[in-house]
């Protein structure tokens, strides 16, 4: 069915009514019928498995949008989608979300979380026995040219023009998950008005906390697809493909050992593919350590960084003695390693096992957290990481299924997940970590970036540049602030550890257009610094 915002923009789908409306532009497009069960792609199979249902079996494709004239002409227009539900306050009881797809409908690019429709809603005024929710998305195209990101040392140098260019494809989904339905029914009171968050008693808060933990653990399990859902201490052979290390292998180790620690929503292979998949770099590194290269593949949503550190030291490294460790960590892994080395109890345990720590290399390290981990920005953090993986490739195994699980939580009432809150720069875990007075390591090295690129596709520009409120204009690599990834004086100020600003792409005032949070290890200069610092 063809639609035009100026003529016919209201549709009846599967007992629901959808109204497309925008105060900033006109648009037109189609609503092709799309049966999820017949879609051959992995994305649609995972949507089915996670109980997402495409309302009305119809996708929306916007193929034309009109720019606003004048000063707003460079800002992509936004689309207001209103979904009218067959019953009052139904949006409180069920979960709805808009998923924005690649042009071929095979990849998840972005999403929009539902909000209660404003009081001025045409349908809310007209139908008192109905309720409505609305979604707001930018009218920018979502297209990816496979040839453009094959060379990951270079970023796109062209902008995809949304006007007269690729289509914007999206669908409105209900999440028909019995566990979520049971929870929301219990939390809702008949007198509850439309509010951003529900008020519920202590029992319900505890129940919801347990539900958050359940969702976080489920998503963590999907992210560990390569390890059958488990947290695993791995050993990485010469071919760069990790497998679980045995107690016997740990007991045999002596001399120098290298430990890798990945970041949030990732895995060993996902985070370090740039070096593990590069034989010219990895094989000499493997030879220098004589095969003693370990990696901590751990949960990043359901556990705090302190818990990750305790699990590593008290659970996985009990059979490792009389060695000297070097450590390379990325992103949230910096918090894990800081806890591992700076907690006084952990320092005593390392000393007891005669494990000495030489060099620690923080690559894009969230040493002081990230503003994206603050509760008001949590949805944006997941959106940002998803779009970067969609655009650049290198998506960690199980990532999309984990995102679909997390969206079930965000589409109801967004809550803190322990592993995310551990990165909150004004949260309790970072504050507690900064109270430590010393570290077991001899040297801390920092590799960081200030990233900016005016030649991103508009979909990414809309997220990263048109709204810079997350970092308040401060230098960052799109996920971690530049200052927070530095040898900051905010922690270990009186420790004898050497804190060395080893290499930075750009500086505080001068951004650069190539290196950003997810692609450090693909770049020659990062590999060169690792090669120089590691024996």
């Amino acid at each position: 069915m063809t639609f035009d915002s100026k003529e016919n923009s209201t549709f009846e789908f599967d007992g629901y009514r959808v109204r497309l409306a925008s105060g900033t532009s006109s648009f037109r497009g189609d609503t092709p019928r799309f049966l999820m069960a017949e879609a051959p792609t992995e994305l649609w199979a995972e949507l089915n498995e996670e109980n997402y249902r495409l309302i009305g079996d119809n996708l929306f494709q916007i193929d034309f949008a009109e720019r606003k004239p004048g000063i707003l002409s460079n800002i992509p227009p936004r689309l207001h989608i209103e979904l009218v539900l067959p019953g009052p306050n139904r949006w409180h009881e069920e979960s709805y979300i808009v998923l924005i797809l690649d042009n071929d409908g095979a990849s998840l690019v972005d999403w929009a979380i539902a909000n209660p429709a404003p009081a001025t809603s045409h349908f809310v005024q007209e139908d008192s026995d109905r309720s409505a929710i609305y979604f707001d998305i930018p009218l920018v195209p979502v297209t990816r040219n496979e040839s453009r990101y094959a060379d990951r040392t270079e970023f796109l140098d062209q902008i995809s023009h949304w006007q007269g260019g690729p289509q914007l494809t999206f669908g409105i989904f209900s999440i028909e998950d019995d566990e979520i339905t049971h929870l929301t029914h219990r939390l809702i009171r008949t007198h509850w008005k439309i509010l951003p968050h529900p008020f519920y008693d202590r029992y319900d808060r505890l129940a919801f906390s347990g539900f958050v933990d359940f969702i976080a653990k489920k998503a963590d399990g999907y992210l560990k697809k390569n390890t059958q859902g488990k947290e695993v201490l791995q050993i990485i052979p010469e071919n760069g493909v990790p497998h679980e290390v045995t107690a016997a292998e740990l007991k045999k180790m002596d001399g120098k050992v290298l430990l890798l620690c990945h970041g949030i929503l990732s895995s060993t292979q996902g985070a370090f593919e740039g070096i593990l998949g590069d034989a010219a770099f990895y094989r000499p590194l493997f030879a220098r350590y004589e095969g003693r290269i370990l990696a901590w593949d751990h949960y990043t949503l359901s556990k705090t960084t302190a818990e990750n550190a305790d699990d590593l030291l008290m659970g996985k490294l009990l059979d490792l003695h009389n060695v000297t460790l070097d450590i390379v960590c990325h992103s949230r892994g910096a918090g894990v390693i800081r806890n591992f080395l700076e907690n006084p109890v952990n320092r005593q345990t390392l000393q007891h096992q005669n494990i000495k720590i030489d060099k620690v290399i923080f690559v894009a390290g969230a040493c002081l957290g990230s503003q994206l981990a603050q509760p008001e920005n949590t949805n944006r953090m997941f959106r940002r990481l998803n779009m970067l993986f969609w655009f650049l490739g290198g998506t960690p195994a199980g990532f999309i299924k984990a995102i679909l699980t997390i969206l079930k939580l965000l589409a109801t009432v967004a809550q803190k997940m322990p592993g995310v809150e551990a990165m909150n720069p004004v949260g309790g875990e970072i504050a507690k970590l900064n109270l430590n007075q010393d570290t077991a390591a001899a040297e801390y090295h920092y590799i960081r970036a200030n990233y900016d690129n005016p030649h991103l596709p508009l979909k990414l520009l809309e997220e990263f540049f048109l709204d810079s409120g997350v970092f308040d204009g401060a230098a960052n690599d799109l996920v971690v602030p530049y200052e927070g990834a530095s040898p900051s004086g905010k922690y270990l100020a009186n420790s004898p550890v050497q804190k060395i600003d080893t290499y930075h792409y750009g500086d505080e005032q001068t951004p650069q257009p190539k290196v950003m949070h997810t692609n450090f290890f693909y770049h020659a200069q990062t590999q060169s610094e690792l090669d120089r610092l590691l024996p």
Side-chain angles (χ1 to χ4, degrees):
M1 179 191 298
T2 300
F3 61 84
D4 190 302
S5 64
K6 294 179 179 178
E7 298 176 6
N8 178 23
S9 57
T10 301
F11 311 94
E12 293 287 344
F13 282 153
D14 199 22
Y16 300 86
R17 188 159 33 158
V18 176
R19 181 166 72 103
L20 305 177
S22 174
T24 60
S25 66
S26 62
F27 49 87
R28 65 171 178 261
D30 296 285
T31 56
R33 190 163 180 80
F34 190 92
L35 298 177
M36 290 179 61
E38 297 178 4
T41 67
E42 183 179 359
L43 171 64
W44 291 94
E46 291 175 341
L47 285 166
N48 269 313
E49 290 173 13
E50 292 303 314
N51 302 306
Y52 283 72
R53 183 171 69 85
L54 179 62
I55 292 178
D57 292 327
N58 283 85
L59 291 176
F60 292 83
Q61 291 181 332
I62 306 293
D63 57 22
F64 170 81
E66 184 179 34
R67 288 181 187 268
K68 290 290 286 183
I71 194 171
L72 299 178
S73 62
N74 290 324
I75 301 177
R78 304 188 76 83
L79 174 67
H80 175 89
I81 307 167
E82 189 168 86
L83 176 63
V84 182
L85 310 177
N89 294 330
R90 285 287 300 279
W91 79 274
H92 291 156
E93 302 176 22
E94 298 179 7
S95 302
Y96 299 91
I97 194 165
V98 168
L99 300 184
I100 302 166
L101 309 173
D102 208 342
N103 287 347
D104 57 6
S107 303
L108 175 63
V109 178
D110 195 8
W111 54 83
I113 302 296
N115 296 288
T120 56
S121 163
H122 170 71
F123 292 132
V124 170
Q125 290 178 340
E126 178 182 296
D127 302 311
S128 59
D129 62 336
R130 295 190 176 194
S131 58
I133 53 176
Y134 71 93
F135 308 86
D136 191 58
I137 61 174
L139 284 174
V140 295
V142 283
T143 184
R144 178 181 61 180
N145 186 324
E146 296 292 336
S147 65
R148 287 181 175 174
Y149 68 92
D151 180 1
R152 301 178 189 213
T153 64
E154 297 293 337
F155 212 39
L156 280 191
D157 58 0
Q158 295 180 1
I159 297 176
S160 297
H161 295 283
W162 56 269
Q163 190 170 18
Q167 293 176 323
L168 171 69
T169 301
F170 62 90
I172 304 173
F173 291 80
S174 61
I175 304 174
E176 301 184 350
D177 190 307
D178 289 342
E179 290 159 321
I180 291 179
T181 301
H182 175 72
L183 172 74
T184 52
H185 279 206
R186 188 166 67 186
L187 294 179
I188 293 161
R189 303 294 185 259
T190 56
H191 62 277
W192 182 33
K193 303 294 184 181
I194 294 178
L195 293 172
H197 299 284
F199 295 102
Y200 40 86
D201 58 30
R202 181 174 180 272
Y203 175 76
D204 284 335
R205 286 200 303 272
L206 291 174
F208 199 87
S209 176
F211 177 72
V212 171
D213 289 343
F214 169 79
I215 288 289
K217 287 176 183 176
K218 188 175 180 181
D220 271 333
Y222 287 144
L223 288 164
K224 300 300 140 196
K225 184 176 181 179
N226 291 332
T227 58
Q228 292 73 54
K230 301 185 301 180
E231 293 183 290
V232 170
L233 181 65
Q234 301 167 312
I235 189 168
I236 310 176
E238 190 173 11
N239 65 4
V241 181
H243 61 81
E244 187 168 5
V245 69
T246 66
E249 287 173 315
L250 287 175
K251 289 175 181 177
K252 285 183 188 176
M253 290 186 178
D254 57 9
K256 275 271 191 174
V257 177
L258 177 62
L259 174 68
L260 306 181
C261 186
H262 65 76
I264 196 163
L265 287 173
S266 194
S267 62
T268 299
Q269 287 174 282
F272 298 104
E273 176 62 24
I275 53 177
L276 299 183
D278 186 341
F281 174 85
Y282 184 69
R283 285 177 181 170
L285 182 72
F286 177 86
R288 295 201 300 274
Y289 281 97
E290 298 179 351
R292 298 184 294 269
I293 299 181
L294 301 173
W296 177 215
D297 212 326
H298 57 282
Y299 294 162
T300 63
L301 298 173
S302 59
K303 294 185 178 182
T304 67
T305 51
E307 289 172 325
N308 294 143
D310 289 346
D311 290 345
L312 172 61
L313 184 57
M314 307 301 182
K316 301 298 183 181
L317 291 178
L318 291 176
D319 294 306
L320 186 68
H321 294 78
N322 307 314
V323 299
T324 298
L325 273 182
D326 292 320
I327 301 173
V328 177
C329 57
H330 178 247
S331 188
R332 180 187 178 276
V336 178
I337 296 305
R338 284 194 59 201
N339 275 287
F340 179 69
L341 301 176
E342 296 172 18
N343 181 293
V345 175
N346 292 349
R347 296 205 308 269
Q348 290 177 3
T349 302
L350 289 167
Q351 186 176 21
H352 177 73
Q353 293 181 215
N354 195 28
I355 298 177
K356 296 180 173 63
I357 312 297
D358 189 8
K359 297 181 178 69
V360 178
I361 305 173
F362 298 103
V363 180
C367 297
L368 293 171
S370 169
Q371 288 86 337
L372 282 170
Q374 292 177 243
E376 64 270 23
N377 295 326
T378 300
N379 181 45
R380 296 199 65 185
M381 178 181 71
F382 294 125
R383 289 180 61 226
R384 214 168 260 221
L385 289 170
N386 178 72
M387 277 191 275
L388 290 173
F389 287 131
W390 159 76
F391 183 65
L392 292 172
T395 306
F399 178 82
I400 294 301
K401 202 161 186 179
I403 285 291
L404 293 177
T405 302
I406 292 165
L407 288 181
K408 294 178 181 180
L409 184 63
L410 298 179
T412 50
V413 182
Q415 285 285 316
K416 301 175 184 178
M417 280 175 275
V420 178
E421 177 61 16
M423 291 177 63
N424 184 347
V426 295
E429 179 142 340
I430 295 290
K432 183 178 179 180
L433 187 54
N434 288 344
L435 293 175
N436 293 322
Q437 299 298 306
D438 204 356
T439 175
E443 299 176 13
Y444 278 3
H445 292 263
Y446 302 83
I447 299 175
R448 54 190 176 133
N450 180 13
Y451 177 84
D452 192 358
N453 189 339
H455 299 298
L456 287 171
L458 283 172
K459 181 62 202 166
L460 292 170
L461 281 172
E462 181 270 334
E463 163 58 19
F464 300 139
F465 297 105
L466 296 180
D467 184 355
S468 59
V470 173
F471 295 106
D472 293 325
N476 64 87
D477 66 7
L478 297 183
V479 176
V480 170
Y482 185 77
E483 195 275 334
S486 73
S488 170
K490 294 181 179 179
Y491 63 98
L492 300 182
N494 299 314
S495 170
V497 65
Q498 294 185 61
K499 295 165 74 177
I500 303 164
D501 197 8
T502 300
Y503 192 83
H504 44 87
Y505 297 92
D507 57 37
E508 190 101 32
Q509 287 76 38
T510 311
Q512 47 75 49
K514 291 185 178 180
V515 180
M516 28 75 81
H517 190 75
T518 57
N519 68 356
F520 272 79
F521 293 103
Y522 293 98
H523 283 266
Q525 191 61 50
T526 302
Q527 295 186 5
S528 176
E529 293 299 328
L530 294 177
D531 192 57
R532 180 178 67 84
L533 292 170
L534 301 175

